[in-house]
Amino acid sequence: MPINTALTRQHFDTRWKSLRRPYQPVVSRQWRSWLMDRGSLTQRLIKRSNGDFRVELVRQGWARPTRSEAKALNMSTRQVALVREVQLIGKGQPWVFARSIIPAPTLTGPQRQLKVLGTQSLGSLLFTDPTMRRGHFQICRLSLDNHKKVWARRSVFFLSNKPLLVSEVFLPQLLQVN
Ligand SMILES: C=C(O[C@@H]1C=C(C(=O)O)C=C[C@H]1O)C(=O)O
């Protein structure tokens, strides 16, 4: 069963800020390292967990994006997209909650396999695709149900020039690794 992180679509319909200055100083040094890393988060978490890592599928289905997500993807909120929500579990703890929005036109050709990822990491496809490009990061501060505040980031990936939006919420357990 997914470990409940109580994140809903409303959390992602918020004001995202560019990670460029002056926002960087607001972010503590230890979180800045995670928010700004443009490499594969999956690979970094596999190393941090000494291989004790898995992707837990929370939900996947066709749904309308939030206004903020639709704007980032230049699509209408009246259109549906494939929405994938997962938790990245390291050493048995939820370290990241990720929500990806994949427009239907992106799920063509080789990208059809994005529909059947299951518990395979999205990153394993993104970072092995020679056509992959990644846009700038935006960040925001989210409040979990227990009033804990966490950092989130998002960026638009392009595979063969087709977009998908990936949002990642960094959970407190990520920094509590012993
Ligand atoms: C983009 C990556 O893929 C990770 C895995 C995801 C998934 O399986 O849905 C979603 C976002 C990322 O946290 C990455 O590894 O950098």
Side-chain angles (χ1 to χ4, degrees), residues 89-156:
I89 311 287
K91 296 189 173 188
Q93 292 299 312
W95 284 354
V96 173
F97 180 94
R99 173 177 161 95
S100 301
I101 310 293
I102 313 174
T106 297
L107 293 164
T108 55
Q111 283 69 46
R112 283 175 302 178
Q113 57 187 323
L114 292 171
K115 286 189 272 191
V116 290
L117 273 174
T119 56
Q120 179 188 352
S121 164
L122 173 60
S124 65
L125 264 70
L126 295 174
F127 287 90
T128 52
D129 185 322
T131 71
M132 187 273 275
R133 288 184 294 115
R134 185 174 203 170
H136 298 300
F137 283 131
Q138 292 179 306
I139 59 173
C140 71
R141 197 85 164 127
L142 298 179
S143 293
L144 299 180
D145 274 6
N146 55 11
H147 307 300
K148 265 194 187 290
K149 287 201 176 291
V150 293
W151 284 107
R153 73 176 185 179
R154 74 181 189 180
S155 61
V156 178

Side-chain angles (χ1 to χ4, degrees), residues 9 77 116:
R9 58 177 271 140
T77 53
V116 290

Side-chain angles (χ1 to χ4, degrees), residues 6-20:
L7 283 157
T8 65
R9 58 177 271 140
Q10 280 66 35
H11 282 97
F12 297 88
D13 199 20
T14 183
R15 287 187 64 240
W16 295 80
K17 294 189 171 75
S18 165
L19 188 51
R20 295 198 190 95

Side-chain angles (χ1 to χ4, degrees), residues 37-45 53 55-57 60 84-88 96-100 117-127 134 153 155 157 166-170:
D37 189 337
R38 294 184 66 82
S40 167
L41 182 57
T42 297
Q43 288 308 313
R44 186 169 174 183
L45 296 181
F53 172 82
V55 175
E56 198 161 76
L57 187 60
Q60 178 169 313
R84 172 182 166 87
E85 294 181 348
V86 300
Q87 287 183 136
L88 305 186
V96 173
F97 180 94
R99 173 177 161 95
S100 301
L117 273 174
T119 56
Q120 179 188 352
S121 164
L122 173 60
S124 65
L125 264 70
L126 295 174
F127 287 90
R134 185 174 203 170
R153 73 176 185 179
S155 61
F157 283 87
V166 177
S167 302
E168 294 153 320
V169 183
F170 293 88

